[in-house]
Every structure is written in structure tokens, then in C-alpha cells.
């Protein structure tokens, strides 16, 4: 199968873990071993990844610079290069007989997207509520709960077009394992004269991956995270994992915004085009593809 594999930022850096280079490389090495097993099983992979923890850290570092800090679109590109480099290196160590490419990917968004007025995408480290509110007041952040902690949130517009899709298809058709759309891609808008310009946002990588799967004609979108499945009634005594479900049976508003809801929405979008999406834990990737674990969403 041709599979778009979306690695969650929390699959690459475990929740609450210090954001050190050593921790990130260790987690990426773990992810690379899982992906190598899928390649060994005969699947063709296109790999995307999140950047929430990483781009938030870069934003903190940029804010400490006395001169004007770099905007989020530039930091998106920086985080994609940083993660893509380590991911490509560890994949190359695990798979010695394949070609790889890391591609910075521009993704067009609509400057009128209502997401710019209602930020929901969590980035950066987690804080307790008091610390989050203090930082929000000091730095002009918008914040929101993230499980039992709080994080900064930024605008997350819907992706409209993967601008490098033709290049990606060219590489994939020639057997190259491509790492692309890092952090959901670099958000750009088209100006009146047809030129492109970056815009302050972080695109959700699951929506970008769903769009990429459609543009590349993938058989499956595999969203790997740190939970084993989508749960109905999450956070309640009646919580239960979902196995194979019809897209029409899911209501995105039943799931938390900024965490599982985008994955469910991305899965529904793709399923409505006749393709399948699956969601589950990184370690279970082979079993998810086999249909025995995780949550599958189909039309």
C-alpha cells in the first residue's frame, strides 16, 4: 500500500518529557524502527510529522532575541528542517537500501480562514494554569487547557493546497521515501498579484496529511500518536475504544479540540473520498495497518 504516515509531535517527544536534543533523537530512533518495519513489509511510505512542542520552543527562543523575532512561518520551516534531518538520518540507519528526501513544503491557506480569529493549535511546553496565565499576560499569548495542563495556542487554518505535490508525486513514483509537510507545512497565502507570502500560523499536520493523501492518491492515512485508539466518551467512566467505524458514525465535536478532534475530522474528510484513515499508537503501527488495532475510519 501507499501510506501517508503522520507522526504526532507527541509521538516524537513524549508528553511532559524535557525538550532536549537527546530525548528527541531517542524518540525519533524509536519511530524510525517502526517505519522500517512497514517498509520491510512492502509498503510505500510518505512521512509527515508534527512540530507543536518544537515550534513552541523555537518561538520562546525567538522571543528572547532583542531584535524582532522571526515569524511563525519561518519557525515552522526551521522546525521542519530540524526534525526532518534527524528523522531522515535515523531512517537511513534503519533502512540501508532506499533513497530518502526531506522536502520543505509550502501549504496554501485562506487568509480569511476564521481560525485566525479563534486560535486552537497548542504549541510549546505545558504549564500549570497559574504559570500559563502569567506568561499569557506577560507575552500576549492566548492559552487553553491541554489535558490537565495548559499551553499556548495559535491560529491553525485549514490547508487548501500542497504546493509541492507534483514534486512529491515525482519522487514517490521513483521509490523515494519522502519526509514532507513537517509541522503541517509552511503556511503561505496567495497575494493579489499571484505571488506567495508566509503567514503567522501553524497548520494542523493531520489536516495537511489528509490533503496530501488525497493529492497523492494514497491508499491509507496512518496517524500515529501516543494513544492506542480513538475513544468514545473519552474522560468518562464509559470511555471505550473504537475499532472499525463508518465516517458517518463520528461527530468531531464529541472529541477534544487541539488533540483528537483534528485527527477525527481529517479521517472523516479522507474517508468521504473513498480512502481509509487509521489512528493509533506508534508502537502498534504494523497491527493498525493489518486492521487488528487502533481505529479505522472508512466510508
Amino acid at each position: 500500500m501507499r501510506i501517508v504516515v503522520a507522526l504526532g509531535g507527541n509521538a516524537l517527544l513524549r508528553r511532559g518529557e524535557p525538550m532536549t536534543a537527546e530525548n528527541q533523537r531517542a524518540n525519533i530512533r524509536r519511530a524510525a524502527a517502526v517505519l522500517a518495519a512497514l517498509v520491510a513489509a512492502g509498503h510505500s511510505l510518505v512521512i509527515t510529522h508534527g512540530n507543536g512542542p518544537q515550534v513552541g520552543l523555537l518561538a520562546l527562543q525567538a522571543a528572547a532575541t532583542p531584535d524582532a523575532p522571526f515569524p511563525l512561518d519561518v519557525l515552522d520551516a526551521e522546525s521542519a528542517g530540524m526534525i526532518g534531518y534527524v528523522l531522515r538520518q535515523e531512517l537511513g540507519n534503519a533502512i540501508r537500501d532506499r533513497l530518502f528526501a526531506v522536502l520543505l513544503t509550502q501549504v496554501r491557506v485562506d487568509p480569511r480562514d476564521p481560525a485566525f480569529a479563534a486560535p486552537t493549535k497548542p504549541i510549546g511546553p505545558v504549564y500549570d494554569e497559574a504559570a500559563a496565565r502569567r506568561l499569557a499576560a506577560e507575552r500576549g499569548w492566548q492559552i487553553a487547557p491541554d489535558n490537565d495542563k495548559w499551553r499556548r495556542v495559535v491560529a491553525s487554518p485549514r490547508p487548501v493546497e500542497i504546493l509541492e505535490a507534483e514534486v512529491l508525486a515525482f519522487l514517490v513514483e521513483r521509490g523515494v521515501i519522502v519526509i514532507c509537510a513537517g509541522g503541517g507545512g509552511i503556511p503561505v497565502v496567495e497575494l493579489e498579484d499571484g505571488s506567495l507570502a508566509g503567514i503567522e500560523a501553524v497548520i494542523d499536520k493531520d489536516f495537511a496529511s489528509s490533503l496530501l493523501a488525497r493529492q497523492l492518491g494514497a491508499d491509507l492515512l496512518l496517524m500515529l500518536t501516543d494513544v492506542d485508539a480513538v475513544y468514545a466518551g473519552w474522560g468518562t467512566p464509559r470511555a471505550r475504544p473504537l475499532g472499525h467505524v463508518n465516517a458517518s458514525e463520528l461527530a468531531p465535536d464529541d472529541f477534544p479540540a487541539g488533540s483528537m478532534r483534528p485527527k477525527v475530522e481529517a479521517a472523516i474528510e479522507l474517508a468521504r473520498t473513498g480512502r481509509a484513515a487509521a489512528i493509533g499508537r506508534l508502537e502498534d503501527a504494523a497491527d493498525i495497518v493489518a486492521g487488528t488495532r487502533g481505529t479505522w475510519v472508512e466510508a
Side-chain angles (χ1 to χ4, degrees):
M1 283 195 294
R2 178 178 294 179
I3 306 174
V4 172
V5 181
L7 297 172
N10 290 319
L12 299 176
L13 188 69
R14 297 180 182 185
R15 195 177 298 274
E17 193 173 45
M19 286 192 286
T20 65
E22 293 78 12
N23 284 338
Q24 291 183 76
R25 181 172 287 275
N27 288 321
I28 288 173
R29 185 178 297 123
R30 179 173 57 94
V34 171
L35 298 177
L38 293 179
V39 173
H43 300 295
S44 171
L45 304 187
V46 179
I47 302 163
T48 70
H49 59 80
N51 72 340
Q54 295 83 4
V55 77
L57 178 61
L58 292 175
L60 284 172
Q61 293 171 344
T65 305
D67 300 321
F70 286 109
L72 271 176
D73 60 301
V74 175
L75 300 181
D76 287 330
E78 186 177 350
S79 67
M82 175 180 70
I83 298 169
Y85 155 66
V86 181
L87 186 53
R88 183 262 174 268
Q89 192 173 80
E90 293 300 336
L91 277 170
N93 290 338
I95 309 169
R96 300 298 179 92
D97 59 347
R98 297 294 296 272
L99 296 174
F100 298 88
V102 180
L103 190 67
L104 289 179
T105 312
Q106 297 180 99
V107 178
R108 185 168 62 85
V109 301
D110 185 345
R112 298 174 297 276
D113 192 305
F116 287 108
T120 59
K121 178 66 176 174
I123 66 170
V126 297
Y127 304 96
D128 61 46
E129 184 175 359
R133 292 195 181 281
R134 175 177 54 79
L135 288 167
E138 291 174 358
R139 301 180 180 181
W141 289 357
Q142 291 183 271
I143 57 173
D146 183 13
N147 293 322
D148 60 339
K149 298 291 185 179
W150 288 68
R151 291 172 78 183
R152 179 188 177 188
V153 290
V154 299
S156 184
R158 288 293 186 104
V160 174
E161 181 184 10
I162 309 288
L163 297 183
E164 277 77 22
E166 288 188 23
V167 178
L168 292 167
F170 178 87
L171 294 169
V172 171
E173 292 294 341
R174 283 152 184 79
V176 179
I177 297 174
V178 183
I179 301 163
C180 62
I186 304 162
V188 299
V189 295
E190 185 174 345
L191 305 180
E192 289 185 4
D193 63 0
S195 61
L196 299 173
I199 193 166
E200 283 261 317
V202 175
I203 300 170
D204 187 274
K205 68 100 181 40
D206 295 314
F207 288 133
S209 300
S210 178
L211 177 58
L212 181 63
R214 297 196 298 275
Q215 290 191 238
L216 293 181
D219 302 296
L220 175 67
L221 169 60
L222 177 61
M223 291 176 274
L224 298 176
T225 183
D226 55 357
V227 295
D228 62 337
V230 177
Y231 277 73
W234 176 260
T236 73
R238 298 185 302 278
R240 59 181 180 85
L242 301 176
H244 288 251
V245 295
N246 189 299
S248 64
E249 298 171 5
L250 294 173
D253 288 347
D254 291 341
F255 302 93
S259 57
M260 191 55 75
R261 187 183 301 173
K263 290 177 172 55
V264 171
E265 286 191 73
I268 292 170
E269 283 184 359
L270 187 62
R272 286 174 177 164
T273 70
R275 296 180 175 85
I279 303 167
R281 191 167 48 195
L282 174 67
E283 293 84 353
D284 297 336
D287 292 331
I288 297 169
V289 172
T292 58
R293 291 201 178 186
T295 299
W296 272 67
V297 181
E298 300 173 276

